[in-house]
Amino acid sequence: MSDRAGDVLLVGTRKGLWILRADDERSSWTVSEPQLLGHIVHHAVLDPRDRRTLLLSDRTGHLGPTVFRSTDLGTTWTEASRPPAFTTGDPHGRSVKGVFWLAPGHADEPGAWYAGGSPQGLFRTEDSGDTWAPVSGWNDHPLWSKWAEWPIEGTPDGSMLHSVIVDPRDPSHLYIALSGGGVFESTDAGSDWLPLNQGLAADFLPDPDAEYGHDPHCVRLHPLAPDRLYQQNHCGIYRMERDEGKWQRIGDNMPRDVGDIGFPIELHPRDPDTAWVFPMDGTDVWPRTSPDGRPAVYATHDAGVSWTRHDRGLPDRAWFTVKRQAMAVDESDPVGVYFGTTSGEVWASRDEGASWTSIATHLPEIYAVEHAAPADL
Amino acid sequence: MQVRIPTPLRSYTGQQKAVDVDGSTVADLLDALDARFPGIRFRVVDEQDRLRTHMRVFVDQESVDDLSTPVEGAQEVTIMQALSGG
């Protein structure tokens, strides 16, 4: 018997979680009944280390934020006994309004996860999400309020910490991203941090060479080339070779009439030169819908030197918005690519983005799409 | 003291609409609730001991936001959810 239950998508929405399950060919998908209906689910992630522990960030219109855990793919849920929270008596008066991002820790630290919050706190668990503690080196950093623009919180739905990345070679080497605030790096397990924003545009800041204050939308590190980072930023698409220490705007190579504005960026699991983005309109008043109402995924296979448009199967006209956690890839060959829209549709490609099929419609506003390959339960 | 529980919190109380707990202040009652129904307090009160934006507490008919408000002599305490949009 296979120990693999097949491909699953965890679809977090403004009104609960839906689980999509594929057949062996990924050609047919079944959509679950809603789980935690009415709950705001910013992120749901299956632990790739044990392929059983599923964490879900949760709040509701009324109730405060928490984290739910499941080890049976959502059949039953257990709430964290100590959810992510700032220290009582916090000098900034901060309280977690929402857990925005969940990230499993290093492979050598089973049970370790990070959570990024709104406002922009960082939290860590070492017991698979049951009890969480603040990462003091970040939350209490003397420059935190400057870096996090506290208490302005200019981002429309509140500032958020996201894209928590653990270097696969070194559990003490971390990256995080703030919207707004920029990318930050720690080489000592989060005790101290430095901005990592050289080369990024920030057309909303007076200083073109600002050290921080940028708006990364999604940052990814390639596990097979861990000195390479990709970023979909508010102001474009970037790549950094870490030894160079400077972001290069690879989005300049996108077609001018499409531009390089968007939220998610996803990487090929085996080819560090391949990435996918979902461009959105960043002109005029920034509609951030598919440019000219013609949705397409763009792929690069040469680390951003050139881009290829993929729209086969997508509607001729549609004004899709795809949020930063709402695009995902699987590990199959060829790779499956997925995205979810704020209009509640999930689209899938099982040929690395070349053609697309709708696999779910009429869901609530989609915040997150994560691929999972759960162990057979 | 009887504490009335709104629907969003009844998953914690086994669907009980009201529960009896002891205490001399609102904070005491919330602590006692949390001891019986772990996790319920943090959904209502944040880590800085502030009532969450869309939650309300009434001592009898009086809305309170100071958790040190005494409850002695009151008939009941009601936790309610406020309007929070769609």
Side-chain angles (χ1 to χ4, degrees):
Chain A
M1 176 187 285
S2 167
D3 70 342
R4 196 169 179 280
D7 290 284
V8 164
L9 296 179
L10 305 167
V11 181
T13 82
R14 190 165 176 263
K15 301 288 183 178
L17 175 75
W18 276 258
I19 297 178
L20 277 56
R21 294 171 186 268
D23 63 6
D24 288 345
E25 285 75 41
R26 295 176 294 164
S27 60
S28 175
W29 294 76
T30 57
V31 181
S32 74
E33 291 294 306
Q35 305 201 21
L36 299 165
L37 180 62
H39 294 234
I40 298 166
V41 179
H42 279 293
H43 215 182
V45 179
L46 187 76
D47 191 334
R49 296 162 296 188
D50 67 5
R51 296 187 296 132
R52 290 186 183 278
T53 305
L54 170 59
L55 297 194
L56 176 147
S57 71
D58 179 282
R59 64 187 175 94
T60 80
H62 305 98
L63 306 180
T66 191
V67 169
F68 279 101
R69 303 180 297 136
S70 176
T71 55
D72 52 17
L73 209 59
T75 303
T76 57
W77 295 95
T78 305
E79 186 179 352
S81 59
R82 195 169 75 213
F86 290 99
T87 306
T88 299
D90 175 67
H92 298 293
R94 295 168 294 183
S95 62
V96 175
K97 297 175 194 163
V99 176
F100 185 75
W101 190 277
L102 294 165
H106 193 274
D108 291 343
E109 296 182 329
W113 288 68
Y114 291 93
S118 177
Q120 299 173 130
L122 182 64
F123 307 89
R124 178 178 159 96
T125 175
E126 297 182 355
D127 54 13
S128 296
D130 183 30
T131 60
W132 295 81
V135 176
S136 176
W138 171 255
N139 295 352
D140 302 326
H141 194 285
L143 295 176
W144 180 88
S145 61
K146 287 189 174 182
W147 289 343
E149 301 177 324
W150 181 259
I152 295 171
E153 293 205 84
T155 309
D157 292 331
S159 60
M160 69 280 282
L161 188 154
H162 59 86
S163 301
V164 183
I165 297 168
V166 182
D167 187 330
R169 301 162 300 185
D170 178 4
S172 64
H173 184 202
L174 307 172
Y175 299 94
I176 57 175
L178 311 186
S179 287
V183 179
F184 294 81
E185 179 182 30
S186 172
T187 56
D188 55 10
S191 296
D192 197 10
W193 298 82
L194 286 172
L196 191 66
N197 300 301
Q198 191 181 355
L200 293 178
D203 57 15
F204 45 86
L205 295 176
D207 179 1
D209 299 313
E211 189 180 13
Y212 55 87
H214 304 75
D215 189 7
H217 283 173
C218 185
V219 181
R220 300 291 188 191
L221 172 149
H222 200 287
L224 300 181
D227 287 321
R228 170 175 289 182
L229 294 156
Y230 287 88
Q231 175 180 168
Q232 173 68 71
N233 184 284
H234 176 96
C235 296
I237 307 168
Y238 292 85
R239 190 190 78 234
M240 174 187 279
E241 306 299 330
R242 184 62 195 87
D243 60 343
E244 296 175 1
K246 186 172 184 179
W247 295 97
Q248 304 294 331
R249 189 165 181 173
I250 57 177
D252 281 343
N253 302 321
M254 288 280 287
R256 289 285 171 216
D257 60 345
V258 173
D260 63 342
I261 302 306
F263 284 105
I265 186 165
E266 287 297 326
L267 309 184
H268 192 292
R270 293 176 293 279
D271 175 12
D273 289 341
T274 292
W276 294 270
V277 294
F278 190 88
M280 285 173 266
D281 187 346
T283 63
D284 193 50
V285 295
W286 291 66
R288 287 198 274 222
T289 53
S290 301
D292 194 34
R294 302 185 189 282
V297 169
Y298 277 74
T300 180
H301 302 290
D302 50 17
V305 176
S306 64
W307 295 89
T308 303
R309 179 181 180 90
H310 292 304
D311 58 8
R312 181 152 38 104
L314 294 173
D316 290 340
R317 303 308 302 278
W319 284 260
F320 287 158
T321 299
V322 177
K323 295 201 163 183
R324 74 192 75 206
Q325 287 127 306
M327 196 171 190
V329 295
D330 65 25
E331 296 177 346
S332 296
D333 187 9
V335 173
V337 188
Y338 310 91
F339 68 84
T341 71
T342 56
S343 49
E345 301 179 29
V346 183
W347 289 81
S349 167
R350 53 179 178 153
D351 53 11
E352 308 210 343
S355 63
W356 291 87
T357 305
S358 170
I359 60 172
T361 56
H362 310 313
L363 299 180
E365 179 178 0
I366 292 173
Y367 285 165
V369 175
E370 288 284 349
H371 172 264
D376 209 0
L377 299 173
Chain B
M1 176 68 61
Q2 176 173 266
V3 179
R4 294 173 62 186
I5 307 295
T7 58
L9 290 171
R10 289 182 194 162
S11 62
Y12 291 88
T13 62
Q15 301 304 320
Q16 293 181 79
K17 297 177 181 176
V19 295
D20 288 317
V21 288
D22 294 328
S24 57
T25 65
V26 171
D28 290 343
L29 297 180
L30 289 168
D31 287 344
L33 275 177
D34 202 63
R36 274 180 66 185
F37 309 111
I40 193 171
R41 184 181 187 279
F42 192 65
R43 308 304 299 270
V44 179
V45 178
D46 72 17
E47 58 267 53
Q48 309 310 333
D49 288 335
R50 296 178 297 228
L51 268 180
R52 296 196 180 277
T53 304
H54 298 291
M55 298 302 295
R56 298 283 183 271
V57 173
F58 292 84
V59 177
D60 288 334
Q61 307 301 313
E62 197 73 30
S63 175
V64 301
D65 55 14
D66 181 354
L67 301 185
S68 67
T69 301
V71 296
E72 189 176 355
Q75 298 299 306
E76 66 177 8
V77 168
T78 304
I79 303 173
M80 298 189 80
Q81 75 264 35
L83 301 175
S84 73

